[in-house]
Amino acid sequence: DARMVQNTGSDVMSHDDMNLAMVVDKSRVIFFDDLNDKVVKIKAIEHAFPADVEKARKRYLTAIDELNALRKMDRMELDELVGKIFDEVVEELKTMDDDYYEEETDEGKVVELAYDANSNEGMLLLRCLLASINCLENEPNLKDFLLESMSRLCKEADVDSSGGVDKKECTGLFNELVKSSLAVMHGRLQ
């Protein structure tokens, strides 16, 4: 049974702040966009009117259109977009005086951003990549799930198993974020 619920983070009850969720009991729900099926304590539960469900459905369809457009992007255009984000992250790390990994190769210097649990680099990269996907702006639960999956996503993108993601591998990471987001959006429409 779908209901509209207000998360505990907000004191002001606004219908726009409501999200669709499955009700567990009178104060706990599982949000539709939580892939971990985590039970969350909430402030209020209201009946989900057909118009509310249709509004969410349209939001998901719009998100699917944007994500599909990103998947169909020309490879050079996508590499350029993701490359800019990667370079911005490296510049940010330089200002933070963080120790990111730089290797001298035949092609010049290659910067890799570590994604292990002790590093902020992979998390910063992931946050910046997610920020570039406009339709995820109003999807905090999905973004949190993807951030929690950071190590797995980065490891999958780390083609050379070096423990870091370089600019070339970053496009694979971005594609994985888009693919995971698409799967969630399609699942919501079921």
Side-chain angles (χ1 to χ4, degrees), residues 1 13 16 21 28 33 35 44 48 50 58-59 63 89 96-97 102 110-111 115 120 140 161 164 174 179 182:
D1 184 26
M13 185 76 144
D16 291 339
R28 297 180 314 143
D33 59 354
L35 297 182
K58 284 180 182 176
R59 189 175 85 212
V89 170
M96 295 167 43
D97 200 30
E102 217 173 57
V110 174
V111 175
Y115 54 83
N120 294 326
S161 301
F174 185 79
K179 186 172 120 184
L182 261 171

Side-chain angles (χ1 to χ4, degrees), residues 51-103:
D52 298 322
V53 175
E54 185 58 26
K55 183 178 175 183
R57 188 179 170 295
K58 284 180 182 176
R59 189 175 85 212
Y60 302 150
L61 288 171
T62 301
I64 287 170
D65 288 344
E66 181 186 337
L67 293 164
N68 279 328
L70 288 169
R71 287 205 65 183
K72 293 175 184 173
M73 236 176 155
D74 174 76
R75 177 64 187 218
M76 287 178 50
E77 191 179 5
L78 184 59
D79 285 345
E80 184 178 326
L81 168 73
V82 173
K84 283 181 184 178
I85 295 167
F86 186 90
D87 290 342
E88 288 171 9
V89 170
V90 170
E91 288 305 311
E92 179 67 24
L93 289 169
K94 285 180 182 177
T95 64
M96 295 167 43
D97 200 30
D98 209 357
D99 273 337
Y100 56 89
Y101 177 68
E102 217 173 57
E103 179 184 357

Side-chain angles (χ1 to χ4, degrees), residues 102-185:
E102 217 173 57
E103 179 184 357
E104 194 70 41
T105 67
D106 294 339
E107 300 169 8
K109 284 189 178 178
V110 174
V111 175
E112 289 199 336
L113 302 179
Y115 54 83
D116 63 18
N118 299 322
S119 172
N120 294 326
E121 300 168 16
M123 190 61 77
L124 179 60
L125 177 62
L126 202 57
R127 285 182 192 280
C128 291
L129 289 171
L130 287 171
S132 72
I133 304 174
N134 295 329
C135 65
L136 299 183
E137 185 177 322
N138 295 316
E139 302 293 338
N141 292 329
L142 175 56
K143 286 197 296 192
D144 287 347
F145 173 78
L146 292 170
L147 288 170
E148 289 170 12
S149 306
M150 188 259 311
S151 289
R152 179 187 57 80
L153 292 169
C154 288
K155 191 171 188 167
E156 289 172 9
D158 184 11
V159 177
D160 61 4
S161 301
S162 63
V165 177
D166 64 26
K167 192 184 284 192
K168 289 178 185 175
E169 294 168 328
C170 194
T171 300
L173 176 59
F174 185 79
N175 284 332
E176 201 53 44
L177 291 173
V178 170
K179 186 172 120 184
S180 296
S181 300
L182 261 171
V184 171
M185 295 300 172

Side-chain angles (χ1 to χ4, degrees), residues 10-30:
S10 176
D11 290 333
V12 180
M13 185 76 144
S14 163
H15 200 69
D16 291 339
D17 295 335
M18 305 293 262
N19 293 298
L20 285 174
M22 296 301 290
V23 176
V24 175
D25 60 33
K26 65 181 183 179
S27 65
R28 297 180 314 143
V29 298
I30 299 171

